[in-house]
Amino acid sequence: MYKSFSMELAGRTLTVDIGRVAAQANGAALMHYGDTVVLTTVCASEKPREGIDFFPLSVEYEEKLYAVGKIPGGFIKREGKASENAVLTSRVIDRPMRPLFPKDYRNDVTIDNLVLCVDQDCAPELTAMLGSAIATSISDIPFDGPISTTQVGMVDGEFVFNPTQSEREKSTLALTVASTREKVIMIEAGADEIPEDKMIEAIFKAHDMNKQVIEFIDTIVAECGKPKSDYERFDTPEELYEDMVSFITPEAMEKAVFTDVKQVREANVNEIRDKLIARYEEINPDWVPFVEAAVYKFQKKTVRKMILKDQKRPDGRAMTQIRPLAAEVDILPRTHGSAMFTRGQTQVMTITTLGALAETQKLDGLDENETGKRYMHHYNFPSYSVGETRPSRGPGRREIGHGALAERALVPVLPSEDEFPYAIRAVSEVLESNGSTSQGSICASTLSLMAAGVPIKAMVAGISVGLVTGDSDDDYVILTDIQGLEDFFGDMDFKVAGTHKGITAIQMDIKIHGLTREIIEKAIYRTKEARTYILDDVMAPVISEPRAEVGPYSPKITQIKIDPSKIGDVVGQRGKTINAIIEQTGVKIDITDDGAVSICGLDKESINKAVELVEMIASDFEEGKLYKGKVISIKDFGAFIEFAPGKEGMVHISKLAKHRVEHVEDVLTLGDIITVVCLGQDKMGRISFSLKDVK
């Protein structure tokens, strides 16, 4: 039966249609927020997937260009692979939803969000987040929801919720917060150096709004929700686990994992696993398939007990201690900028490349304001960084997400195009990984940009803190700079990047049902302490400020302004004039509609020559001013001089010399470079020049 529910949300109407479409899905909600329409569906397989030890959740966010009245470009007139925005949106939906499914649920679940219509004032991403929570909550799929999501901006120092298009353009904050009824479960943020206390205030104002939306969702679930289905549970046989603990002993497992060398730990745990397999092949072969999961469970319990009860970390560090740090710049001799940042067994090298503004990435998506991206940050995580063999098949969702996080962290400190008229690409190559590679890439990228001569406004560093919780909200330990093992077996990966002044990016992932305000506040202030140490004691001694100039192998760019009415003269018919300048000088030239001309080349001489030619074409001849040009044509009555491509003038034979000239060839030859003076307009209205009157 079709039912419709509505509420006012941040000054616009949110309407949810249940039972109107997609009736065969386990749960479906047709979401309307303003004029934005998103169809969210959720489906689960009838039986669990065999041979896996994880929950197979897939979240999709499908952008259809018909939603904004566009036909896809290119030869194939249909949407292709997911855009970066679609991938990032899928990740943001996944992160708060995943912890609320049962940990031992093995049925395939797909949450699909189809964007049907876009109102630029009502973000389809937010609409899809709400739809995912509603569709799953009303379905028969086991899920401990509902949750709600709110976006927060800041305009003129004031918070705005679920900001409109114009508010997003002016906002210095882009914060997304997901909550359960009681706690915050996901945070994602990009900010223009927002102070910690202001960020905390924004997070919990969003949490308050989320609680209102959850009350609305509760009414929908009460009327339309299906009873939750039972499912086949997966766990290690209790007899096996007890036998394993007795045979291996907790002391032996603790000794196996208590090391700061990842490879040694893995070797120790593998040795334990092999012992168990050999034991159970003899006494109980039915237990052998469960050994891997049982060892993981034993290892997890051991690590969590060591941290929470014994206040011991696997590598012996104190709870607030950062792993050994190192930083270098100029690793690569001929790239435009390079740097390497090492934190324990995590090592990232970032290479910066500068280019003309024409190399800005073009975007063709659902956001009418997002048409191009001048700064591009790409992150690569090869298999050798963790000692594995895996072929490279291009970036996955994780790589795209980590690259976007580093990009978001650095955008607030980049110079404007007027200050630094370059397209900028930073590529972070993970060389070794044992946790917090995304934050290592932020530190390496800051160093690399400064080494490349990019005049960033402030240094940015990133750090991740973790969490291990006990049986109550008051029983927890926060860990500074978590390594891989603490991430795997802990409850939180709270990444924060920023400057001395404030936060530029946050990404929070958790595996539990939310965090209290106390934990969030302590985590954010813990990252502030660690970030300050990294900036002052590790990064600043290596390079304390951006280099004054770009390097010798970097392109040089000069930007000038011309009268917009002269753009056509500079470009010429079918680009003939501008192409001639490019051919003569070897530079790249970009011209914007407002008359900004960027000239890019590898040497100053070529750039200066191109600037001279552009300025010549874009200016009017002035009487009495000297001009240098090339003789390109000789006639009986005079010579034609080219001052720049498409910019010519004539010297009459009577103006060649102070004496009488019988033939132009007696004074000039084709190809001569001469200096002439402008005489102004003649009786016919033409501009004339003189060689004999040059002083």
Side-chain angles (χ1 to χ4, degrees):
M1 182 183 294
Y2 167 33
K3 292 189 177 182
S4 186
F5 304 83
S6 295
M7 73 171 289
E8 289 301 304
L9 182 60
R12 284 144 284 168
T13 301
L14 175 69
T15 300
V16 183
D17 293 341
I18 306 295
R20 186 176 182 182
V21 294
Q24 296 189 46
N26 292 67
L30 186 62
M31 306 292 297
H32 306 257
Y33 191 30
D35 285 340
T36 291
V37 182
V38 176
L39 171 61
T40 302
T41 57
V42 58
C43 292
S45 60
E46 289 186 9
K47 296 183 179 179
R49 194 195 299 184
E50 294 184 3
I52 62 170
D53 59 357
F54 60 91
F55 168 43
L57 172 65
S58 176
V59 178
E60 305 296 334
Y61 176 79
E62 299 183 66
E63 296 177 320
K64 300 295 185 179
L65 289 182
Y66 56 65
V68 288
K70 291 183 182 178
I71 295 175
F75 292 101
I76 302 173
K77 296 297 182 180
R78 69 181 301 159
E79 289 80 6
K81 69 176 185 178
S83 69
E84 184 174 294
N85 180 68
V87 170
L88 298 176
T89 302
S90 297
R91 282 171 55 85
V92 171
I93 296 170
D94 182 300
R95 297 213 310 272
M97 297 284 289
R98 187 177 291 271
L100 299 180
F101 290 92
K103 294 187 184 304
D104 59 347
Y105 194 47
R106 297 292 179 264
N107 297 51
D108 284 276
V109 174
T110 298
I111 300 172
D112 194 282
N113 295 278
L114 176 61
V115 181
L116 297 167
C117 185
V118 174
D119 171 354
Q120 297 294 336
D121 283 338
C122 300
E125 296 87 353
L126 173 70
T127 310
M129 293 171 202
L130 296 172
S132 298
I134 293 170
T136 309
S137 295
I138 65 171
S139 75
D140 58 348
I141 300 170
F143 179 69
D144 192 13
I147 61 170
S148 175
T149 305
T150 295
Q151 295 177 332
V152 187
M154 182 182 286
V155 179
D156 298 328
E158 299 294 327
F159 295 127
V160 290
F161 299 96
N162 299 345
T164 63
Q165 181 181 31
S166 61
E167 289 170 337
R168 289 195 297 270
E169 289 174 11
K170 297 179 287 186
S171 180
T172 56
L173 173 66
L175 170 67
T176 303
V177 178
S179 307
T180 63
R181 298 177 210 281
E182 297 86 15
K183 299 177 182 178
V184 172
I185 197 167
M186 191 279 299
I187 302 170
E188 179 109 358
D192 190 1
E193 299 180 276
I194 299 291
E196 280 72 13
D197 57 349
K198 203 71 176 174
M199 183 66 78
I200 292 167
E201 182 185 355
I203 290 168
F204 285 94
K205 283 186 180 294
H207 177 53
D208 290 340
M209 182 168 282
N210 281 335
K211 288 190 284 188
Q212 297 174 29
V213 178
I214 288 173
E215 289 180 6
F216 169 66
I217 298 175
D218 284 340
T219 63
I220 301 174
V221 175
E223 289 197 42
C224 304
K226 301 175 184 177
K228 296 300 181 184
S229 61
D230 200 6
Y231 64 95
E232 185 178 343
R233 288 163 170 77
F234 287 80
D235 198 5
T236 306
E238 190 62 34
E239 299 86 350
L240 162 62
Y241 191 79
E242 290 175 357
D243 181 83
M244 174 185 64
V245 173
S246 174
F247 177 67
I248 298 298
T249 75
E251 293 76 18
M253 178 59 83
E254 184 172 326
K255 184 178 179 180
V257 300
F258 200 88
T259 173
D260 61 350
V261 181
K262 178 183 173 184
Q263 293 89 332
V264 172
R265 182 186 304 113
E266 290 175 347
N268 293 342
V269 173
N270 288 342
E271 185 178 342
I272 289 173
R273 183 199 59 201
D274 293 343
K275 282 183 182 178
L276 289 168
I277 290 174
R279 173 178 173 81
Y280 297 140
E281 281 177 342
E282 289 186 11
I283 66 172
N284 193 339
D286 292 342
W287 283 357
V288 172
F290 295 98
V291 167
E292 194 78 46
V295 171
Y296 178 89
K297 183 177 179 180
F298 191 13
Q299 195 179 356
K300 181 175 182 177
K301 284 191 172 184
T302 302
V303 170
R304 291 177 65 86
K305 179 258 181 185
M306 286 167 56
I307 294 171
L308 190 62
K309 304 303 180 186
D310 303 337
Q311 298 288 298
K312 291 167 62 178
R313 298 176 74 170
D315 57 5
R317 281 183 291 147
M319 299 302 159
T320 60
Q321 187 178 350
I322 302 174
R323 287 171 288 175
L325 303 175
E328 305 174 60
V329 294
D330 304 329
I331 302 294
L332 306 175
R334 285 178 176 257
T335 58
H336 301 166
S338 62
M340 188 160 68
F341 187 83
T342 305
R343 180 188 281 127
Q345 288 185 291
T346 291
Q347 188 176 65
V348 182
M349 180 188 294
T350 297
I351 299 91
T352 297
T353 306
L354 306 177
L357 288 173
E359 296 180 85
T360 293
Q361 182 180 357
K362 293 178 176 61
L363 302 176
D364 185 21
L366 302 185
D367 191 334
E368 294 176 351
N369 288 335
E370 296 262 342
T371 58
K373 189 160 65 170
R374 172 197 174 212
Y375 176 63
M376 300 150 278
H377 195 120
H378 298 145
Y379 165 103
N380 297 313
F381 190 91
S383 58
Y384 63 76
S385 67
V386 287
E388 295 177 356
T389 57
R390 183 179 69 249
S392 176
R393 294 288 184 264
R397 288 189 170 191
R398 179 179 178 276
E399 285 87 347
I400 291 172
H402 280 10
L405 176 61
E407 184 176 291
R408 192 182 309 123
L410 288 159
V411 163
V413 301
L414 292 177
S416 67
E417 286 186 14
D418 290 338
E419 295 170 301
F420 193 71
Y422 286 84
I424 308 164
R425 181 182 185 231
V427 179
S428 293
E429 303 286 358
V430 177
L431 307 180
E432 188 178 1
S433 172
N434 188 17
S436 294
T437 54
S438 65
Q439 303 310 286
S441 70
I442 291 169
C443 298
S445 300
T446 297
L447 298 169
S448 179
L449 289 168
M450 292 198 295
V454 180
I456 60 174
K457 299 168 187 175
M459 288 195 296
V460 180
I463 192 73
S464 181
V465 297
L467 176 75
V468 176
T469 56
D471 297 330
S472 68
D473 287 346
D474 298 328
D475 187 17
Y476 65 87
V477 173
I478 293 175
L479 310 170
T480 300
D481 179 30
I482 56 172
Q483 59 176 315
L485 191 74
E486 294 165 334
D487 186 6
F488 299 150
F489 296 147
D491 298 318
M492 176 180 78
D493 183 4
F494 201 138
K495 310 178 185 80
V496 181
T499 64
H500 280 297
K501 185 178 175 182
I503 294 170
T504 58
I506 294 178
Q507 187 176 93
M508 184 187 86
D509 297 325
I510 64 172
K511 302 169 188 173
I512 54 177
H513 289 202
L515 301 179
T516 63
R517 180 168 187 142
E518 180 182 275
I519 292 174
I520 290 173
E521 288 183 352
K522 286 185 177 180
I524 287 178
Y525 286 118
R526 182 76 68 84
T527 64
K528 168 70 172 175
E529 295 171 10
R531 185 171 80 237
T532 301
Y533 167 73
I534 295 169
L535 289 169
D536 292 343
D537 292 15
V538 181
M539 295 170 64
V542 174
I543 182 169
S544 59
E545 60 184 24
R547 288 185 172 139
E549 295 182 351
V550 299
Y553 300 103
S554 302
K556 314 301 184 289
I557 295 180
T558 297
Q559 197 167 57
I560 61 173
K561 291 283 286 187
I562 64 171
D563 184 341
S565 67
K566 298 289 186 180
I567 293 174
D569 295 338
V570 174
V571 174
Q573 189 175 14
R574 296 181 180 175
K576 181 179 179 181
T577 302
I578 197 169
N579 287 333
I581 298 172
I582 292 169
E583 186 176 344
Q584 281 186 33
T585 60
V587 301
K588 294 179 181 178
I589 302 175
D590 300 316
I591 306 177
T592 61
D593 292 341
D594 62 353
V597 182
S598 292
I599 300 171
C600 175
L602 288 175
D603 65 88
K604 282 288 185 184
E605 188 176 334
S606 298
I607 293 172
N608 291 340
K609 178 62 177 175
V611 168
E612 182 183 322
L613 294 174
V614 170
E615 289 180 336
M616 168 64 70
I617 296 168
S619 63
D620 295 322
F621 289 119
E622 297 179 26
E623 185 175 346
K625 188 173 180 179
L626 298 179
Y627 295 92
K628 183 182 287 187
K630 179 181 180 181
V631 179
I632 58 170
S633 178
I634 293 177
K635 305 294 182 184
D636 292 341
F637 51 83
F640 285 92
I641 315 300
E642 182 184 69
F643 302 102
K647 188 90 168 183
E648 300 173 4
M650 191 193 77
V651 179
H652 192 267
I653 191 170
S654 64
K655 301 295 182 181
L656 290 177
K658 295 189 180 294
H659 59 274
R660 179 179 175 80
V661 176
E662 293 292 336
H663 303 286
V664 175
E665 291 88 339
D666 294 340
V667 178
L668 297 176
T669 305
L670 281 175
D672 283 350
I673 305 297
I674 62 173
T675 299
V676 296
V677 63
C678 178
L679 300 177
Q681 291 186 350
D682 60 17
K683 294 178 181 178
M684 303 289 291
R686 297 171 299 189
I687 303 294
S688 61
F689 297 86
S690 172
L691 180 61
K692 72 177 184 179
D693 294 315
V694 173
K695 296 179 182 178

